[in-house]
Amino acid sequence: MKANNLTVYNSLSRCKELFRPVHEGRVGMYVCGPTVYGDGHLGHARPAITFDVVFRYLTHLGYKVRYVRNITDVGHLEHDADEGEDKIAKKARIEQLEPMEVVQYYLNRYHAAMERLNVLPPSIEPHASGHIIEQIEYIKSIIDAGYAYVSDGSVYFDVPKYNRDYHYGKLSGRNIDELLSATRSLDGQQEKHNPADFALWKKASPEHIMRWPSPWSDGFPGWHLECSTMGEKYLGTPFDIHGGGMDLKFPHHECEIAQSVAHNGHDTVRYWMHNNMITINGQKMGKSLGNFITLDEFFTGSHPLLSQAYSPMTIRFFILQAHYRGTVDFSNEALQGAEKALQRMLEGFKRLQALKPSSEADNVDTAALETKCYEALDDDFNTPVLLAHLFEACSIVNRINDGSLKASQNDIDGLRQLFNTFLVDILGIKVDSAAGETADGGASMKPFEQAVDLLLEMRSEAKARKDWTTSDLIRDRLAAIGFDVKDTKNGFEWSLKN
């Protein structure tokens, strides 16, 4: 196992901490997954890609990682509240489908989008609806501990009582007194002892489709409960990392902490990690706000806010250009910039594969570059700094290619290893398809690339025969239809004009 110098920003302590797992050589990581009642959008892509890089890097360091990402398919009510219609049940009613038909349809589409973004599947992907028995038992233990009460068939968590013994609000920084005074009156509020209390179990109204029997009523679990229950079931207690979007800090993750402490008597997560939001004109992108662009719309360019289609690897690169804790504001200009930057990176990678060593070599310090790449990742997964170092490596490749820098075979092998490790394995950029895949996910452009290569090989043969007419004709016709062709000491290079 590589020496561990990894520091992680812990949202709970609000500072970077040296990463030390609970069990040596093993990491347990739980990340809040989607509520599957609609197509995934750019806001869903960000946590998926963020924690995919975390998963990949921890695995690269030599840890055996159990990565759990849940699927919420019951209990998530409109406006993230304790009253209202279940988001999935509402979609099912509107579309005249079974709720689990809605779940399966959108889950299949979510998985397809994640695969195109090269997001690795988690180790376990548990569904809330598949863990009702465990959630009921969890509620019983919280009631027995004195931190929950039954009210007209529903069960609520007693926030003020918990706060007297522990600290409700320590993750989000919310003040309990302010919460009690600011919480607005809701339908069904009379069931609660206090407005800040939240549902562990809700009694189902007669028209509610998704319901299960419990000691208190036929009903369904509260939205927050599934993560406490499933995280503990699959990762034990305590476990290492709990991740999700920053918008989940309150109320979702704050309620998770309270439930878990009430159940166990102690905290169950060592490091809380939160990615920041994708915004449009400064406003969070989300289904509830109606300002989202689905991933399929990005891939096809079919949304009116989009000036063109963007490939899955462009979307991935766009997200990795920013640190996961910083905001990312959507614009076509920003995406087009990411597309051009990715193209430069891929051209460097392609050029690297064709480099030939020199008999006399200059000092190409690939070991120092590798150290800087590890330092970037060890500094709370700093992907933009890592990309800057990889562009530095591209510059070295270009200098070797144009002859201004001489490199040995070991130097070239070191550069190839650098790109394979950091760009491909850890950042998850698919170098073969990133340039070749069409933006709408169609067939690879490899046959097209081979056709251009064939034309340029014919041009090289014409030049060797001193048939300048044919050589110039091929070059000029390619230039006229949008190709840049360069002659190099190793043959030729071509690229599409911007």
Side-chain angles (χ1 to χ4, degrees), residues 40 81 117 144 157 173 210 277 286 313 329 370 475:
L117 289 167
D144 290 345
F157 190 91
M210 303 171 79
M277 299 295 98
M313 286 303 101
D329 197 50
E370 181 184 69
R475 181 199 60 207

Side-chain angles (χ1 to χ4, degrees), residues 281-340:
N281 298 322
Q283 186 182 38
K284 174 199 162 188
M285 180 184 287
K287 286 196 182 88
S288 59
L289 298 170
N291 66 349
F292 64 94
I293 304 172
T294 71
L295 292 169
D296 276 351
E297 286 170 333
F298 274 106
F299 300 156
T300 59
S302 58
H303 193 280
L305 286 176
L306 297 175
S307 61
Q308 64 176 79
Y310 297 98
S311 73
M313 286 303 101
T314 297
I315 298 297
R316 187 173 179 110
F317 197 85
F318 170 66
I319 288 171
L320 293 174
Q321 279 184 312
H323 190 273
Y324 77 89
R325 288 191 286 115
T327 55
V328 173
D329 197 50
F330 157 80
S331 70
N332 279 286
E333 292 76 18
L335 276 164
Q336 288 162 2
E339 185 176 60
K340 290 176 182 175

Side-chain angles (χ1 to χ4, degrees), residues 161-229:
K161 185 173 182 181
Y162 170 84
N163 190 60
R164 286 195 292 270
D165 297 334
Y166 299 100
H167 178 195
Y168 183 81
K170 64 181 181 180
L171 177 68
S172 61
R174 303 291 181 102
N175 180 290
I176 184 67
D177 295 325
E178 291 174 1
L179 284 173
L180 290 171
S181 62
T183 306
R184 59 190 174 89
S185 177
L186 299 168
D187 292 338
Q189 190 74 40
Q190 65 273 13
E191 290 184 356
K192 298 182 181 183
H193 293 175
N194 297 282
D197 295 349
F198 58 88
L200 298 173
W201 185 266
K202 285 293 293 179
K203 179 181 179 180
S205 57
E207 66 275 11
H208 200 95
I209 305 171
M210 303 171 79
R211 59 173 68 216
W212 289 265
S214 80
W216 316 288
S217 65
D218 279 5
F220 53 92
W223 170 40
H224 315 302
L225 189 65
E226 63 181 275
C227 293
S228 292
T229 304

Side-chain angles (χ1 to χ4, degrees), residues 414-427:
L415 287 166
R416 288 173 182 165
Q417 182 64 40
L418 191 80
F419 278 92
N420 287 331
T421 297
F422 294 101
L423 184 67
V424 178
D425 294 345
I426 297 172
L427 293 183

Side-chain angles (χ1 to χ4, degrees), residues 90 92 132 148 163 173 196 217 331 344 355 367 380 382-383 415 431 487:
K90 180 179 180 179
I132 301 297
N163 190 60
S217 65
S331 70
R344 287 201 311 274
L355 290 184
D380 194 31
N382 199 325
T383 57
L415 287 166
V431 292
D487 293 309

Side-chain angles (χ1 to χ4, degrees), residues 23-40:
H23 303 288
E24 188 175 352
R26 295 173 177 268
V27 174
M29 181 170 75
Y30 187 100
V31 175
C32 289
T35 302
V36 280
Y37 67 104
D39 277 333

Side-chain angles (χ1 to χ4, degrees), residues 157 159 168 171 196-198 200 224-225 228 248-261:
F157 190 91
V159 170
Y168 183 81
L171 177 68
D197 295 349
F198 58 88
L200 298 173
H224 315 302
L225 189 65
S228 292
L248 297 177
K249 270 189 182 181
F250 187 87
H252 187 50
H253 289 162
E254 198 72 73
C255 294
E256 270 192 64
I257 290 174
Q259 291 165 166
S260 300
V261 172

